[in-house]
Amino acid sequence: MNFHGKQRRGLALAALAALAGACTPGSTPASHPEAGSSAAAPVAVPDAPWRTAGSEAAGQEPATDSPPVLIRGAKLYLGDGTAIARGHVLLLGGKIRSVGPGDGEAPAGARVVDAAGQFVTPGLIDVHSHLGVYPLPAVKAHDDGNEAVDPVTAGVRALDGFWPQDPSIERAVAGGVTTLQVLPGSANLIGGRTVTLKLRRASTGRAMHFAGAPDGLKMACGENPKRVHGDKGRAPQTRMGNIAGQRAAFLGARRLIDEWDSWRRSEAHRQDKAARDGARYLGEQKERDDRERACREGDGDACRALEGKKPPEAPEPSEPALPPRRDLLLETLAGVLEGRLLLHVHCYRADDMADVLALADEVGVKVRAFHHALEAYKLRGELARRGVAVATWADWWGFKMEALDGIPENLALIEAAAGRAVVHSDSEEGIRRLNQEASKGLGSGLRAGLALTEEGAMRWITENPAWVLGVEERVGTLAVGKDADVVVWDADPFSVYARAALVFVDGLERYDAAHPGAPWSDFEAGADEPPLKKPEPVAAPGARSADGGGEKKP
């Protein structure tokens, strides 16, 4: 074999080795039955980035462990629409290990909380919060929730603007909230990624991330986007422009999906062909090497078989084409189209919600929840049929035109239609009393003659919001194996007088009303200390007094 033949053979061997090395565990094989060579190396092609990455916040969550805590003697609202008149909950290792009637058994060394006459619920969940991106104090320097420079900013992430020192976080925990979703604001048609957090003291938002929770995407319809951008002389200026802008964005993302799928098919074909060509070359070369060896050893048949035959030609190495250009905006939308991110839509009017549902059908996305949704009661049957949740207030209305037709029976009517009703806050104050908001919604429904129960209304702030965030397997109910996010209340949580007495997140006590610790936020450190007494001024000898009199006496 001449030098060039050896060199080409070496290139083919190197290409085969590279193909084999590319097929690492966890890679996505591309199947091409038409290639039809069992000798060919398996093919691995990189997948689209939105398919291989989890939440942008993942990876820095602390390990969860907790000592045993037995809470006994309380009424338990299980969060699934049922209650236990007197029961117990055992927390251990960050999980609920036992829940049921009676006092339960305390493991060795367990802390026992005597909650007789008190009430226990799952940790409350707020699906619509701007804590950390519009933190306290409410000053312009803290406005990090709306990137209002373009109507479509799907590439931005609430996590990147989140300030974990927001004093409202600790106040939310004191109100019994253990999990929340932080969203961008509603200035844009598509505002960006949301993130789900566990409320624990931390120095970064990523350390508060709810491990395994999917990210979401915030969209908005109605007045806000057309006002914010229309006032700047650009689209959208109308509701027509709202839907057109969202449609164009998702169609662009659909094209990106097609480009990636096309590139992956092409690259898989290239790799597969290179592997088959290389395998064929190696087979032919081995056959020739065997005959040459046999010929040297005196095998006449082998020598005759070599007569007039050239050495096999090594295949030319092929160069891969570049994958599609990265585009964070379209990649986020592609994740929504494929159901990897959950879609949350700010919407008030029934006709706006119907328009978004029609758009969702057109472009192929699924709305997880409408937020605010003051006219959801007008579409309650359709929303229930589609499995779209309604996250709203108990009685906010009338603060702008699209909020004029809100009614206090909204939550109750959604519940009565077998829909998924959720109480949200959208407020650094309201988040401290989600239990009272649920109570108001329950009271409005009962006064309207609807058949509701406290046990069912508890789902509005526990199980239902857990589903909205895609974490219902982990939180939202008091059940064995779920995260030990638990609240002990000093009175029935549907009472205006109820306060959270103890709050556990992942089994660790995060709040004790009787023994509050140092503030979570460094911004408030020392704020409760008495001010230093201002020292009396001491005049120099011979100086005149402030009132113009004579020399000060010692």
Side-chain angles (χ1 to χ4, degrees):
M1 182 183 298
N2 59 27
F3 170 77
H4 294 292
K6 290 180 179 178
Q7 184 183 47
R8 296 179 75 178
R9 179 181 179 185
L11 289 172
L13 289 169
L16 285 174
L19 282 171
C23 301
T24 55
S27 61
T28 304
S31 175
H32 292 269
E34 71 276 9
S37 174
S38 60
V43 177
V45 179
D47 209 338
W50 66 87
R51 295 172 181 158
T52 56
S55 170
E56 303 293 342
Q60 296 187 32
E61 306 91 348
T64 300
D65 195 12
S66 65
V69 178
L70 178 65
I71 305 168
R72 59 170 42 150
K75 177 176 179 178
L76 310 182
Y77 283 105
L78 299 185
D80 61 359
T82 65
I84 296 174
R86 187 180 186 280
H88 72 277
V89 183
L90 175 63
L91 319 179
L92 177 62
K95 299 291 183 180
I96 296 174
R97 301 300 179 183
S98 176
V99 58
D103 287 343
E105 291 191 17
R111 171 188 175 187
V112 177
V113 177
D114 181 3
Q118 297 184 310
F119 297 77
V120 174
T121 70
L124 307 189
I125 301 170
D126 190 358
V127 303
H128 194 112
S129 176
H130 300 296
L131 297 193
V133 294
Y134 283 111
L136 294 179
V139 295
K140 187 172 179 56
H142 279 169
D143 286 356
D144 288 312
N146 274 307
E147 189 64 26
V149 298
D150 190 273
V152 177
T153 56
V156 305
R157 305 162 182 167
L159 177 70
D160 293 331
F162 180 79
W163 187 46
Q165 294 291 317
D166 184 352
S168 289
I169 296 171
E170 184 180 12
R171 290 165 170 75
V173 176
V177 176
T178 58
T179 297
L180 57 73
Q181 176 177 230
V182 179
L183 308 92
S186 54
N188 298 340
L189 296 174
I190 302 177
R193 280 183 182 251
T194 74
V195 66
T196 299
L197 305 177
K198 284 284 192 90
L199 297 192
R200 48 180 168 248
R201 191 170 185 169
S203 297
T204 70
R206 286 168 174 78
M208 297 173 66
H209 180 236
F210 190 127
D215 285 352
L217 179 73
K218 169 71 176 295
M219 273 179 41
C221 64
E223 292 181 20
N224 286 19
K226 74 189 189 81
R227 183 191 71 249
V228 169
H229 296 282
D231 287 353
K232 297 175 182 178
R234 61 182 180 226
Q237 299 187 12
T238 64
R239 282 178 161 82
M240 296 185 295
N242 285 351
I243 294 295
Q246 290 162 342
R247 178 185 293 115
F250 278 110
L251 292 179
R254 181 65 69 187
R255 181 177 180 86
L256 180 66
I257 292 174
D258 292 342
E259 289 174 357
W260 264 96
D261 289 346
S262 175
W263 177 83
R264 293 190 75 238
R265 287 191 297 269
S266 175
E267 177 62 12
H269 177 75
R270 183 194 70 80
Q271 291 188 20
D272 188 64
K273 182 178 184 301
R276 287 187 291 110
D277 290 349
R280 182 175 61 251
Y281 166 74
L282 292 177
E284 292 173 354
Q285 186 61 50
K286 182 178 184 303
E287 181 181 1
R288 182 176 181 84
D289 290 346
D290 290 344
R291 286 175 175 171
E292 287 179 344
R293 183 173 56 255
C295 180
R296 289 193 299 270
E297 294 173 354
D299 186 335
D301 291 339
C303 294
R304 284 188 291 276
L306 290 170
E307 290 178 359
K309 290 190 176 180
K310 295 181 179 180
E313 290 287 329
E316 293 286 344
S318 60
E319 292 293 329
L322 287 174
R325 184 186 298 273
R326 294 294 305 270
D327 187 320
L328 294 180
L329 186 156
L330 293 180
E331 288 172 13
T332 298
L333 298 179
V336 177
L337 286 167
E338 294 186 348
R340 301 171 191 275
L341 280 74
L342 305 180
L343 181 57
H344 303 272
V345 186
H346 157 119
C347 231
Y348 286 84
R349 286 184 358 193
D351 59 312
D352 284 336
M353 286 181 262
D355 288 342
V356 170
L357 291 175
L359 172 66
D361 292 342
E362 176 186 347
V363 302
V365 296
K366 177 75 169 66
V367 177
R368 189 72 166 188
F370 282 116
H371 293 232
H372 311 332
L374 294 192
E375 294 186 17
Y377 62 93
K378 300 179 181 180
L379 292 177
R380 58 189 183 275
E382 177 68 5
L383 296 175
R385 184 184 69 79
R386 287 174 172 262
V388 178
V390 174
T392 188
W393 302 283
D395 54 5
W396 285 24
W397 73 284
F399 45 90
K400 55 180 174 175
M401 286 302 299
E402 62 186 0
L404 285 182
D405 219 4
I407 60 174
E409 297 83 9
N410 195 24
L411 279 162
L413 288 170
I414 297 298
E415 174 81 8
R420 192 172 269 112
V422 174
V423 175
H424 71 19
S425 76
D426 191 23
S427 163
E428 73 278 5
E429 294 181 4
I431 196 172
R432 306 176 200 176
R433 52 178 184 273
L434 287 183
N435 58 310
Q436 294 182 25
E437 296 300 305
S439 183
K440 288 194 291 183
L442 172 63
S444 295
L446 292 174
R447 286 188 292 273
L450 299 173
L452 305 174
T453 65
E454 291 181 342
E455 291 80 4
M458 181 57 66
R459 299 176 65 233
W460 302 348
I461 48 179
T462 55
E463 185 179 41
N464 289 356
W467 179 88
V468 168
L469 301 183
V471 293
E472 69 275 15
E473 298 300 319
R474 293 273 303 280
V475 294
T477 60
L478 298 179
V480 173
K482 290 202 170 181
D483 292 3
D485 295 357
V486 175
V487 184
V488 180
W489 302 84
D490 63 5
D492 191 311
F494 289 101
S495 165
V496 71
Y497 299 106
R499 295 177 57 201
L502 294 171
V503 180
F504 296 88
V505 180
D506 294 324
L508 297 174
E509 182 184 283
R510 301 294 182 178
Y511 176 74
D512 180 350
H515 303 93
W520 287 21
S521 174
D522 292 342
F523 191 83
E524 292 191 310
D528 57 350
E529 296 293 329
L532 294 175
K533 186 177 180 181
K534 186 176 181 180
E536 291 290 337
V538 177
R544 297 179 62 83
S545 65
D547 61 3
E551 182 179 342
K552 282 187 175 288
K553 303 295 183 183

